[in-house]
Amino acid sequence: MTTSTDAPRRTRIQQEKRELILEAALEVFSTNGFRGSTIDQIAEAAGMSKPNLLYYFRRKEDIHETLMQRLLDTWLAPLRELDDIGDPMTELRNYIRRKLEMARDFPRESRLFANEILQGAPRIMPLLAGELKTLVDEKAAVIKSWMRAGKIARTDPWHLIFSIWATTQHYADFDVQVRAVLGPDRGGDGRFEDAARFLEQLFLDGLKPKN
Amino acid sequence: MTTSTDAPRRTRIQQEKRELILEAALEVFSTNGFRGSTIDQIAEAAGMSKPNLLYYFRRKEDIHETLMQRLLDTWLAPLRELDDIGDPMTELRNYIRRKLEMARDFPRESRLFANEILQGAPRIMPLLAGELKTLVDEKAAVIKSWMRAGKIARTDPWHLIFSIWATTQHYADFDVQVRAVLGPDRGGDGRFEDAARFLEQLFLDGLKPKN
DNA sequence: CTAACGTTTGTCCAATCGGTCAAAAATTTG
DNA sequence: CAAATTTTTGACCGATTGGACAAACGTTAG
């Protein structure tokens, strides 16, 4: 009896090396894009020779594809958790906070995704129009029900989701710019807490003065 | 007496062809990134042979550099116009609207910029930490004075600017995703008006219900 | 006309790319 | 131990890349 039944059965070494390669590829792909990255770069980052790497992944595209598949699951997890039960305002605040934490803790994943979308999403277009659209439509309906119940202000739920994506991922995708503008003093580790505070206020009360 | 005195003097043909190349290069670079684009692609898009293109720009990098230099000027123009005099809330609303219009009318420029930042801004880092930081700091001071005067709510001006950049440029940089999620019905030309309405409400009042 | 100058292109080159292959090295199995 | 299997690598290949170059072409001035 083997460990796995259906999935392509792999030895311990194969699993470890594949993981090593994917880790290295994430680093390389996220900073150079797909076409800008070379197999040699990934192989060197993974500490092995190019033919050795190609022994585990036959083609460069296979690495990228595996990476993207894994990414989408974890990337959409926070949105999936957006729950119908529970206080709407708290749910949204938690969602924003979780997305910002992901931008802080997994910036490479964010940039990998951004790279793909920027270039027209040639490899994941079906997923966007399928799985992603379904999920967003579903959550938009939830948000709409909150609006009907008077729990949050009436706006466009889809653009609301876009704005949360945009503002949080900005701190991963445009990190260089953020740090350059904030400077050495304010661009340190504290910038994510500052961002969290600001975003909470923005999405709660907007900019209108209180009196 | 020639037309220009200091700048490298160029014939009419040179000016026209250089313009043609830059237009073609904007198209190619913004969709494939720098390393993902080839001189052949740009030459073909410009309707000329590769050696002919290299007659006007000696190196691939020169095209990209020229493009980036021009870009930054026009790209930061809206922020430069943010004016101390005039009603703060109106000034901010106009800034957001102008930025959104730029995302709609110049998506290629936005994507070219995003591509550069995503990959660590290797070619324009000095500009970010210099010119850009200076401008943002200056405008942050203006916004801060508005807050002190009680004209807008107190928050972090820098992160406010980031959030405006993020939300507006999102509609250019992530256009494929936006259209895929909105679907054929709502993803048409009207999406920018919907976005404008949503963003105005978000930045004005946030999401708290009016009760 | 012709000489001078600006423009265009076919051809070529070295470097790099993704990927193959056979053989060596390491590991597992009996 | 030895045989079988898996893992690793050096050498190599055709295609593509950025760029060089000289020759051809077009235009203009005298």
Side-chain angles (χ1 to χ4, degrees), chain A residues 31-33 35-36 38 89 92 111 113-115 117-120 125 128-129 132-133 136-137 150-156 158-160 162-163 165-167 169-171 173-174 176-178 180-183 186 191 194-195 198 201-209, chain B residues 31-33 35-36 38 89 92 111 113-115 117-120 125 128-129 132-133 136-137 150-156 158-160 162-163 165-167 169-171 173-174 176-178 180-183 186 191 194-195 198 201-209:
Chain A
T31 56
N32 299 111
R35 290 208 49 189
T38 72
M89 216 65 222
L92 281 177
R111 280 193 282 265
F113 189 75
N115 254 311
I117 302 289
L118 250 187
Q119 311 196 350
M125 184 48 127
L128 297 186
L132 178 63
K133 175 173 167 46
V136 173
D137 285 349
K151 298 285 189 177
I152 64 171
R154 288 179 186 271
T155 30
D156 189 311
W158 285 272
H159 289 279
L160 170 56
F162 291 155
S163 70
W165 288 350
T167 48
Q169 291 172 5
H170 186 81
Y171 290 96
D173 303 342
F174 289 74
V176 208
Q177 181 179 251
V178 167
V181 167
L182 289 181
R186 304 190 62 246
R191 67 188 188 278
D194 293 343
F198 167 79
Q201 179 177 345
L202 171 64
F203 281 95
L204 244 66
D205 299 312
L207 298 177
K208 202 185 274 174
Chain B
T31 56
N32 300 109
R35 289 207 50 187
T38 71
M89 217 63 223
L92 281 177
R111 280 193 281 266
F113 189 74
N115 253 309
I117 301 290
L118 251 187
Q119 312 194 350
M125 186 48 126
L128 296 186
L132 178 64
K133 176 172 167 45
V136 173
D137 284 349
K151 298 286 190 178
I152 65 172
R154 287 178 187 272
T155 31
D156 189 311
W158 286 272
H159 289 278
L160 169 57
F162 291 154
S163 70
W165 288 350
T167 48
Q169 291 173 5
H170 186 82
Y171 291 96
D173 302 342
F174 289 74
V176 209
Q177 182 180 251
V178 167
V181 167
L182 289 181
R186 306 190 61 247
R191 67 190 189 277
D194 293 343
F198 167 79
Q201 179 176 343
L202 172 65
F203 281 96
L204 244 65
D205 298 313
L207 298 176
K208 201 184 274 176

Side-chain angles (χ1 to χ4, degrees), chain B residues 1-209:
Chain B
M1 187 181 180
T2 51
T3 321
S4 96
T5 55
D6 216 69
R9 77 192 55 178
R10 293 183 177 119
T11 68
R12 181 184 50 84
I13 291 184
Q14 274 173 348
Q15 283 196 8
E16 287 173 3
K17 294 286 168 124
R18 280 177 65 96
E19 224 51 49
L20 200 71
I21 291 170
L22 288 172
E23 157 66 25
L26 175 61
E27 184 71 28
V28 176
F29 278 144
S30 67
T31 56
N32 300 109
F34 180 75
R35 289 207 50 187
S37 306
T38 71
I39 301 184
D40 283 291
Q41 284 177 321
I42 301 172
E44 194 196 331
M48 63 180 69
S49 65
K50 182 169 65 171
N52 195 188
L53 183 147
L54 286 166
Y55 171 71
Y56 293 103
F57 291 91
R58 307 180 92 102
R59 297 179 307 150
K60 182 185 172 186
E61 268 200 285
D62 291 349
I63 312 176
H64 191 264
E65 200 182 310
T66 308
L67 228 38
M68 291 298 292
Q69 276 173 359
R70 290 197 186 187
L71 174 57
L72 265 179
D73 272 344
T74 63
W75 208 243
L76 292 178
L79 184 56
R80 285 211 177 81
E81 288 175 22
L82 198 77
D83 211 342
D84 205 346
I85 46 183
D87 177 50
M89 217 63 223
T90 318
E91 283 292 316
L92 281 177
R93 193 167 44 217
N94 283 344
Y95 177 52
I96 293 168
R97 219 196 40 209
R98 284 217 50 197
K99 280 293 282 179
L100 191 59
E101 283 168 3
M102 292 194 64
R104 182 193 61 197
D105 299 334
F106 306 104
R108 300 178 304 176
E109 280 82 352
S110 185
R111 280 193 281 266
L112 178 68
F113 189 74
N115 253 309
E116 177 72 10
I117 301 290
L118 251 187
Q119 312 194 350
R123 281 167 262 271
I124 58 163
M125 186 48 126
L127 280 173
L128 296 186
E131 197 182 345
L132 178 64
K133 176 172 167 45
T134 307
L135 177 63
V136 173
D137 284 349
E138 186 188 316
K139 297 302 177 181
V142 172
I143 294 174
K144 231 167 187 169
S145 77
W146 290 342
M147 291 176 183
R148 268 193 297 269
K151 298 286 190 178
I152 65 172
R154 287 178 187 272
T155 31
D156 189 311
W158 286 272
H159 289 278
L160 169 57
I161 293 176
F162 291 154
S163 70
I164 295 176
W165 288 350
T167 48
T168 54
Q169 291 173 5
H170 186 82
Y171 291 96
D173 302 342
F174 289 74
D175 181 55
V176 209
Q177 182 180 251
V178 167
R179 276 184 295 141
V181 167
L182 289 181
D185 312 328
R186 306 190 61 247
D189 296 338
R191 67 190 189 277
F192 281 97
E193 283 139 41
D194 293 343
R197 259 190 300 276
F198 167 79
L199 289 180
E200 177 155 346
Q201 179 176 343
L202 172 65
F203 281 96
L204 244 65
D205 298 313
L207 298 176
K208 201 184 274 176

